[in-house]
Amino acid sequence: MTLETKSVAELSEPEAKAELERLAVEIGRHDEAYHGQDAPLIPDAEYDALKRRNAEIEERFPHFKLADSPSEKVGAAVAEGFGKVTHRVPMLSLDNAFSDEDVRDFVHSVYRFLGQLPDQSIAFTAEPKIDGLSMSIRYEDGELVTAATRGDGTTGENVTANVKTIAEIPNRLPKGAPPVVEIRGEVYMAKEDFLALNARMEAEGKPVYVNPRNTAAGSLRQLDAAVTASRKLKFFAYSWGEMADMPADTQYGMIEMFKAWGFPVNPLTVRLESIEALIAHYNEIGIARADLPYDIDGVVYKVDRLDLQGRLGFRSRSPRWAIAHKFPAEKGATRLTAIDIQVGRTGALTPVARLEPITVGGVVVTNATLHNAEEIARLGIKIGDTVQIQRAGDVIPQVLGVVLSPDDAVPFEFPTICPCELKTPVIREETASGVEGVVRRCSGEFACPFQRKEHLKHFVSRKAFDIDGLGEKQIEYFYDDPSLPIRQPADIFTLKARDEANGLQRLKNRDGYGETSAQKLFDAIEARREIALDRLIFGLGIRHVGEQTAKTLARAYGTWASLHEAALAIAAGDKASAEEMDALDDIGPAVVEAVGRFFGEPHNIAMVDALVAELTIQEAEKPSQDSPVAGLTVVFTGSLEKMTRDEAKAMAERLGAKVAGSVSKKTDILVAGPGAGSKLAKAQELGVRTMDEDGWFELVR
Ligand code: IVH
């Protein structure tokens, strides 16, 4: 038996300590995937099980509880790119009940805490637990002023512009509403809209989303509100933050008031008075669940009277007056017939379990994700095994483990050669922090047909070549075009000449194009024939070479010729060149290795040479040497009001400063906008020079 599978009661002291450490890392990884990337790695039920195990170990061994224990955390830190909003009333989480017994314990604990006798009955509301993402929407004098995600519970992301595009959320409250109102509730995507969006994504050859919840989250956290507007998001109001006056004295009354103010509230909300009634209602909702137009993952019980809620108060991260009674994940057992390998847009090889069809929770399941080779090893599955699978509201089911393994079951060998037509070796690279990653990737990069189309989309994207009229849609259009294909970046720059050679079959004569739009496209391409060095480097789509790294490389090498020479030398194994690149600020071994690998691949070299032959590459802009901030390290934090974060960064870099993401001893200046939090505190602690936006403008004027 491994440590992971040992019951909490069996753990020795050192084992408990090790287990808590492992769980903190594991839960942290899942928190980041779920909240930070909107891309969960495991079903919610499995995540809940990890959290529960952590809590149980902490209860038995309180002295080993980590200072930053996952039991004290709510959600994830605020993502970069959005302003921050500090919640005046923290946004907390809910405790979970997984059995009728847990519900009984909860109700009894409420009675006990209040010193109330069971015959002095306490009413509870029961509300479906909507599987979306929580939102706090603030109204001042009746006007919607801010909308923020939960973030870490204290500070969320400012997503006001995006929330304003949700038709169901009123921008104005009716007359008579209190002067300050914070409505809290769940933004979600209806199942139907989710399926339609995924069908569209699939038709456009884009990756499909995993489930409505993560799609809703991803749609809301778009920096471009137009994208949010195009996704049909919906809302249910069920709670509140700051309120100038309380318009009701019960939970139920508050929800009725929200409805009167124009917010959608969930029609399945009821008020009940006994444990049996709560459990019966939960069972009814469980049956209705599959037919509801949206995903729910449980029923939330809340003490109805607000004065009692006030007396019960909160634990560190959840109220004592509420609990979420979760639905069990839907499971089934079936035979694993094969494991196929899919190649994703970044070349990542993902094993997919092919299953004998089985109905789980009313849905026929034939495939399940296996994530990576480690997962296959961890599960110990072989082809021919009967495996247990689970759908936890997720569209893509998961394999939980082996139920039965016949003697003739065949172990799976992860391929070492990519299934793409190039048959290039599969590589397992290091992550940016230098540890061996779990992802296996096709090393073909631009040459791998699976990856080429996605690379091309990256090549034309806003921060790379940014060609007007040539976006993702047009790449899809031209990629397989028989007479005017774009299969590699150089093809973009030969498009016009090839079009002219096509005689009557020219672009301007096609549906969807005309004389003007074809000419516009060619002009836009022509305008990009001369390109900044950093955009070219970024556009190549080399692993680990993001926008910032591309800028650093451009600035350090100055010209394409010298960067190219260094990259080829690194590919050829020249240590001095690798060390020189590694020594650059913010560039680590993972980048150097990725550059070396990219320029060691003959297909990539041919692709780059063909492209460069079409271009005039500008020398990198030399940063100013004599500005007051030249050579200094600057950090921007808080919500900037006078410039966007991109603008602030570009300006500082133009003036010869280095922009960092976090405060350290090396930071020279911290520019803090409103709502600045931990970075400001750290800067003050370290004695870093701190200023607001006006101070910054004053300094660099
Ligand atoms: S009440 C202080 N009611 O579940 C308690 N939450 O696991 C505030 N959720 O963060 C939450 N439906 O995102 C509440 N009817 C409901 C809910 C609900 C979904 C979500 C919410 C919360 C999470 C906690």
Side-chain angles (χ1 to χ4, degrees):
M1 185 186 290
T2 67
L3 197 50
E4 289 172 31
T5 54
K6 250 192 183 175
S7 79
V8 174
E10 288 172 317
L11 293 177
S12 67
E13 292 246 331
E15 283 175 339
K17 189 160 182 282
E19 233 345 46
L20 283 179
E21 279 161 13
R22 178 188 76 83
L23 285 164
V25 173
E26 184 74 3
I27 293 170
R29 186 165 77 89
H30 293 303
D31 279 341
E32 167 56 19
Y34 187 92
H35 296 285
Q37 318 291 334
D38 299 322
L41 304 170
I42 53 172
D44 289 357
E46 241 174 80
Y47 175 82
D48 288 342
L50 291 176
K51 293 269 283 202
R52 221 168 341 144
R53 182 169 170 82
N54 186 69
E56 282 169 15
I57 302 177
E58 284 178 352
E59 203 179 321
R60 228 194 109 200
F61 303 94
H63 46 293
F64 289 145
K65 183 166 168 178
L66 298 169
D68 58 346
S69 157
S71 57
E72 301 296 333
K73 284 187 202 143
V74 176
V78 168
E80 284 292 322
F82 287 98
K84 289 180 191 173
V85 173
T86 304
H87 300 302
R88 288 170 217 218
V89 177
M91 289 183 82
L92 297 175
S93 181
L94 291 172
D95 245 14
N96 291 325
F98 296 98
S99 65
D100 294 356
E101 204 44 49
D102 290 350
V103 177
R104 259 184 214 109
D105 287 349
F106 162 68
V107 173
H108 288 156
S109 73
V110 167
Y111 274 91
R112 233 188 353 265
F113 193 93
L114 294 172
Q116 208 117 338
L117 297 171
D119 58 350
Q120 298 169 287
S121 82
I122 296 174
F124 292 84
T125 60
E127 312 165 13
K129 186 170 187 299
I130 314 300
D131 201 7
L133 99 152
S134 47
M135 190 59 56
S136 188
I137 310 166
R138 185 176 173 90
Y139 294 82
E140 288 176 7
D141 298 323
E143 296 287 330
L144 191 165
V145 289
T146 28
T149 61
R150 183 168 70 177
D152 63 5
T154 310
T155 310
E157 293 152 352
N158 185 338
V159 288
T160 313
N162 295 359
V163 164
K164 281 189 174 168
T165 70
I166 302 177
E168 289 195 339
I169 297 179
N171 282 332
R172 197 160 294 120
L173 297 183
K175 277 213 170 58
V180 174
V181 167
E182 267 178 31
I183 299 286
R184 290 183 178 172
E186 205 83 353
V187 171
Y188 68 96
M189 184 176 268
K191 290 178 189 170
E192 189 185 0
D193 294 329
F194 166 73
L195 292 172
L197 172 66
N198 256 358
R200 256 196 338 266
M201 298 294 287
E202 208 167 351
E204 288 170 17
K206 295 186 189 157
V208 294
Y209 293 102
V210 175
N211 61 31
R213 190 244 161 237
N214 295 95
T215 317
S219 305
L220 249 190
R221 298 163 94 202
Q222 296 283 341
L223 289 170
D224 179 358
V227 179
T228 315
S230 72
R231 311 274 170 86
K232 292 183 187 151
L233 296 179
K234 296 196 154 134
F235 184 70
F236 281 126
Y238 53 67
S239 183
W240 58 93
E242 194 183 354
M243 281 279 182
D245 304 302
M246 290 302 280
D249 54 12
T250 59
Q251 171 75 23
Y252 201 82
M254 288 297 282
I255 293 179
E256 283 185 327
M257 192 50 79
F258 294 163
K259 188 173 179 189
W261 288 344
F263 293 92
V265 298
N266 194 283
L268 301 172
T269 302
V270 293
R271 183 159 38 187
L272 301 166
E273 299 210 346
S274 71
I275 295 173
E276 284 64 41
L278 293 179
I279 292 172
H281 179 74
Y282 167 86
N283 290 333
E284 270 171 40
I285 297 284
I287 294 166
R289 182 183 181 194
D291 296 325
L292 292 179
Y294 44 84
D295 274 345
I296 63 171
D297 57 349
V299 177
V300 183
Y301 310 132
K302 297 176 189 165
V303 169
D304 190 37
R305 270 173 48 185
L306 302 188
D307 60 329
L308 297 185
Q309 286 193 3
R311 280 174 57 197
L312 284 153
F314 298 87
R315 292 177 219 94
S316 66
R317 54 179 273 275
S318 58
R320 282 196 196 86
W321 42 264
I323 200 157
H325 192 180
K326 301 283 281 263
F327 290 125
E330 295 165 291
K331 294 181 185 165
T334 186
R335 213 171 69 86
L336 176 76
T337 52
I339 296 177
D340 287 348
I341 297 290
Q342 284 181 347
V343 186
R345 68 193 174 96
T346 58
L349 269 51
T350 309
V352 179
R354 304 291 179 206
L355 305 165
E356 242 163 42
I358 174 177
T359 307
V360 184
V363 174
V364 179
V365 174
T366 49
N367 303 319
T369 48
L370 286 167
H371 302 297
N372 50 53
E374 280 64 31
E375 178 74 355
I376 297 175
R378 187 182 75 79
L379 294 166
I381 49 176
K382 299 192 191 115
I383 294 153
D385 283 352
T386 297
V387 292
Q388 190 178 41
I389 56 151
Q390 163 166 286
R391 271 187 67 236
D394 287 1
V395 170
I396 306 173
Q398 318 269 331
V399 176
L400 293 180
V402 180
V403 178
L404 195 88
S405 188
D407 289 345
D408 59 353
V410 184
F412 175 71
E413 298 265 338
F414 207 92
T416 52
I417 299 292
C418 179
C420 74
E421 67 200 27
L422 294 175
K423 309 221 177 313
T424 36
V426 167
I427 48 158
R428 183 172 172 189
E429 63 199 17
E430 288 184 353
T431 63
S433 53
V435 288
E436 197 169 50
V438 290
V439 179
R440 272 84 171 156
R441 229 171 267 284
C442 166
S443 55
E445 307 252 343
F446 246 134
C448 164
F450 292 117
Q451 297 177 60
R452 215 183 296 162
K453 211 195 269 183
E454 297 305 323
H455 268 288
L456 277 165
K457 289 177 188 170
H458 169 81
F459 182 82
V460 298
S461 65
R462 196 169 63 82
K463 295 192 164 158
F465 272 67
D466 190 23
I467 299 171
D468 264 355
L470 192 62
E472 298 200 354
K473 223 170 79 196
Q474 290 78 17
I475 292 294
E476 290 287 341
Y477 177 88
F478 284 112
Y479 189 81
D480 288 319
D481 193 276
S483 61
L484 205 53
I486 295 180
R487 304 302 290 264
Q488 60 161 329
D491 294 347
I492 294 170
F493 296 96
T494 59
L495 196 71
K496 188 172 180 204
R498 288 184 292 135
D499 184 53
E500 280 165 0
N502 276 347
L504 285 177
Q505 302 287 310
R506 294 191 52 193
L507 188 60
K508 65 181 183 185
N509 299 327
R510 292 194 193 186
D511 268 359
Y513 278 96
E515 179 94 45
T516 324
S517 55
Q519 194 50 48
K520 256 192 168 158
L521 174 62
F522 296 139
D523 289 348
I525 293 172
E526 223 39 52
R528 284 300 190 192
R529 204 179 273 282
E530 186 176 334
I531 193 80
L533 178 57
D534 60 319
R535 280 183 181 266
L536 167 64
I537 300 170
F538 178 61
L540 294 179
I542 304 167
R543 294 268 309 148
H544 301 309
V545 179
E547 193 200 351
Q548 195 51 46
T549 306
K551 282 194 179 136
T552 307
L553 290 173
R555 236 177 269 133
Y557 289 90
T559 62
W560 168 253
S562 70
L563 173 72
H564 190 226
E565 192 186 343
L568 291 175
I570 293 170
D574 180 57
K575 279 223 165 58
S577 301
E579 277 162 17
E580 193 184 329
M581 188 176 282
D582 199 6
L584 296 173
D585 268 347
D586 293 336
I587 289 189
V591 170
V592 180
E593 200 195 318
V595 169
R597 202 165 42 234
F598 185 92
F599 283 93
E601 166 62 57
H603 293 94
N604 289 340
I605 295 175
M607 179 275 287
V608 170
D609 288 351
L611 171 65
V612 167
E614 295 291 333
L615 301 175
T616 306
I617 304 160
Q618 294 163 350
E619 289 191 8
E621 197 178 315
K622 285 270 177 293
S624 164
Q625 297 297 321
D626 51 6
S627 94
V629 295
L632 302 186
T633 299
V634 183
V635 173
F636 292 94
T637 188
S639 47
L640 301 180
E641 290 173 330
K642 306 209 158 92
M643 50 191 166
T644 64
R645 210 157 274 255
D646 279 352
E647 255 179 292
K649 207 167 163 192
M651 180 177 179
E653 284 169 356
R654 217 172 32 245
L655 293 166
K658 199 180 128 208
V659 179
S662 58
V663 174
S664 72
K665 274 188 283 186
K666 289 192 196 148
T667 311
D668 296 299
I669 298 176
L670 179 86
V671 182
S678 59
K679 286 184 195 169
L680 179 56
K682 181 147 187 216
Q684 282 161 347
E685 192 188 310
L686 293 172
V688 170
R689 183 176 172 198
T690 302
M691 59 187 68
D692 60 10
E693 278 176 281
D694 286 336
W696 167 258
F697 283 116
E698 187 70 21
L699 175 66
V700 300
R701 198 163 42 136

